[in-house]
Every structure is written in C-alpha cells, then in structure tokens.
C-alpha cells in the first residue's frame, strides 16, 4: 500500500503566522490528494482536493500545492479558528490512506 | 441542509456484532459514493469501506475484510455497516462520508458514532 507521511506532527504558531504542512507519498500519486481540517470532537472538513483545488466555502488563506510524491498545505495569516489538526489523504486507489495528521497549536 | 447522521454505535463485547446506519438528507443520495472512516481514540483517520452508488462495487480495508459488510438502500437514503467478530482494536468513532465527485475525497461527513469493544 502507498503510505502517506505528514510532517511535522505538530507545530506551534501565532495568529497571523504563515504555516506550512507537508505530506509525502511513498509512490507517485499525481495530484490525487485531499486535505482536511479536524477540530476536537468534530468530523473532518474537506479543505482542498486534487492537490490544489479549494473546496467551495473554504477561505482563500488555505492553499495546496504539489504533485507526484510531495505536497504542501499552506495557511497564510493564521486565524484563531484555524487551530486544529490537518490530515492529507491519498485518493487515487484503494485502500485509501490518510497521513498521520499535523496538529496546529497556539504558541 | 446537507446532512449525514450516523446511529447504532455502543458498547459491545469482543466477538460481538453491531450494525451502524447513516441517514442522508438534503442531497441526492443516489448520486454519491459512500465510505465509512473510523478514528480510534486519540488517533488518526482510517478509511475502512466504500460502496458505489449502485452498490455493485465495494472495497474494504484489510483490517476489516471478512468481518465488516457495507450496504446501502437508496430508497431509504441510507448506508449501513454490519460489523461482526468485533475486536478491542475496532474501538473508534465511525464516520460515514459522501463522495459526489466520484474521486474518493469526502464531503459531507456525518458527526460520527462511537463504537466501544470491551469485555
């Protein structure tokens, strides 16, 4: 199975900071990648699909980039509501797999 | 509004069975492929099963293959997960999630239902 590795596992940041989360696939997955945000006790929320396409209703401070094996989720000007855990997900073939998650914490 | 509501979770002994249900509303359910995804306490997300809109194509994660069965009833706007031979390691919040783009990313998600397997 293709493994998805996220880094860092956690990051401390302040409101207004730029935050970057990385996701690496163990094999080429083209642009078959999605990003989700999850807050404690809540279901995940789709942010980005096809590596770089912003889901409708998601603020433009979120962006995704990359293709092949290396992908990035960037949050520009972090807002208080952005403190959460972020997951990448490979979407190209079964079994579908998620990265281990990156927790964005308040510094 | 678009909504998925899971039910059927609870406490069950190892070796026991449970059937989870997920009821959809606010959208054309038969247009969506559906999946079940779980999250063990304090852990990450694990996709476990998928079913196409017709129900003809189904996939499972190796961790549940042979023990869990996914099904759907488009007339009732519902998807189900029959879980047999439950193990302690199946303890998790179980989410149902929809895929309208038929591209294996998930939106919407239900709120989740907790399954606890313990003696």
């Amino acid at each position: 199975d293709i493994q998805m590795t996220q880094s860092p596992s956690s990051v401390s940041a302040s409101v207004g900071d730029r935050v970057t989360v990385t996701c690496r696939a163990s094999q080429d997955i083209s642009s078959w990648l999605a990003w989700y945000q999850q807050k404690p006790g809540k279901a995940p929320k789709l942010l980005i699909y096809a590596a770089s396409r912003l889901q409708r209703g998601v603020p433009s401070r979120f962006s995704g980039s990359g293709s092949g094996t290396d992908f990035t989720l960037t949050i520009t000007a972090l807002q208080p509501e952005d403190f959460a855990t972020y997951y990448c997900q490979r979407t190209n073939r079964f079994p579908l797999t998620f990265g281990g998650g990156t927790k964005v914490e308040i510094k | 509004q678009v909504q998925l509501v899971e039910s059927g979770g609870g406490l069950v002994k190892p070796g026991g069975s449970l059937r989870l249900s997920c009821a959809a509303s606010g959208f054309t359910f038969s247009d969506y492929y559906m999946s079940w995804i779980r999250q063990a306490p304090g852990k990450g997300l694990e996709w476990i099963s998928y079913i196409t809109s017709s129900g003809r194509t189904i996939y499972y994660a190796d961790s549940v293959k042979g023990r869990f069965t996914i099904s759907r009833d488009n007339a009732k706007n519902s998807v189900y997960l029959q879980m047999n031979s439950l193990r302690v390691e199946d303890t998790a919040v179980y989410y149902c999630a929809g895929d309208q783009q038929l591209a294996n990313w998930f939106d919407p998600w239900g709120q989740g239902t907790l399954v606890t397997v313990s003696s």
Side-chain angles (χ1 to χ4, degrees):
Chain A
D1 295 347
I2 301 174
Q3 304 303 315
M4 306 301 293
T5 303
Q6 279 184 244
S7 61
S9 56
S10 66
V11 58
S12 294
S14 301
V15 172
D17 284 353
R18 177 188 181 98
V19 171
T20 299
V21 179
T22 298
C23 180
R24 174 164 288 174
S26 59
Q27 296 179 32
D28 188 336
I29 60 169
S30 185
S31 295
W32 293 100
L33 189 92
W35 289 98
Y36 300 86
Q37 176 194 67
Q38 187 180 33
K39 296 181 180 180
K42 301 294 186 182
K45 172 187 172 184
L46 178 66
L47 299 176
I48 302 281
Y49 62 93
S52 61
R53 299 191 179 187
L54 196 67
Q55 174 69 347
R56 187 171 54 246
V58 174
S60 58
R61 64 181 179 273
F62 291 92
S63 65
S65 64
S67 67
T69 60
D70 293 313
F71 302 87
T72 299
L73 172 70
T74 300
I75 313 170
T76 56
L78 198 67
Q79 297 300 299
E81 60 268 30
D82 301 336
F83 292 97
T85 300
Y86 294 84
Y87 293 93
C88 63
Q89 180 220 339
R90 178 180 61 76
T91 64
N92 62 322
R93 69 174 68 159
F94 293 90
L96 306 174
T97 50
F98 291 87
T102 296
K103 187 173 184 179
V104 178
E105 300 175 296
I106 301 173
K107 183 183 284 185
Chain B
Q1 76 277 23
V2 172
Q3 194 172 14
L4 293 170
V5 178
E6 300 94 337
S7 60
L11 175 63
V12 62
K13 288 182 166 52
S17 298
L18 273 180
R19 188 192 194 214
L20 304 184
S21 299
C22 170
S25 59
F27 62 98
T28 305
F29 179 71
S30 58
D31 286 346
Y32 282 65
Y33 293 179
M34 298 297 296
S35 278
W36 287 94
I37 297 146
R38 69 184 180 184
Q39 187 169 36
K43 302 297 184 182
L45 300 167
E46 180 189 16
W47 168 85
I48 57 171
S49 189
Y50 157 105
I51 186 168
T52 54
S53 50
S54 67
R56 285 197 210 96
T57 300
I58 286 172
Y59 295 107
Y60 298 100
D62 286 345
S63 58
V64 306
K65 199 175 296 182
R67 300 187 299 124
F68 291 10
T69 302
I70 191 171
S71 62
R72 66 188 293 160
D73 185 338
N74 288 338
K76 294 184 178 180
N77 291 338
S78 293
V79 62
Y80 308 98
L81 188 68
Q82 177 67 43
M83 304 187 296
N84 298 331
S85 303
L86 281 161
R87 304 167 179 168
V88 170
E89 56 265 33
D90 294 320
T91 295
V93 174
Y94 285 73
Y95 297 100
C96 63
D99 168 17
Q100 185 190 24
Q101 303 285 341
L102 314 186
N104 303 327
W105 49 73
F106 304 118
D107 180 68
W109 292 65
Q111 86 288 354
T113 187
L114 176 62
V115 172
T116 303
V117 185
S118 174
S119 55

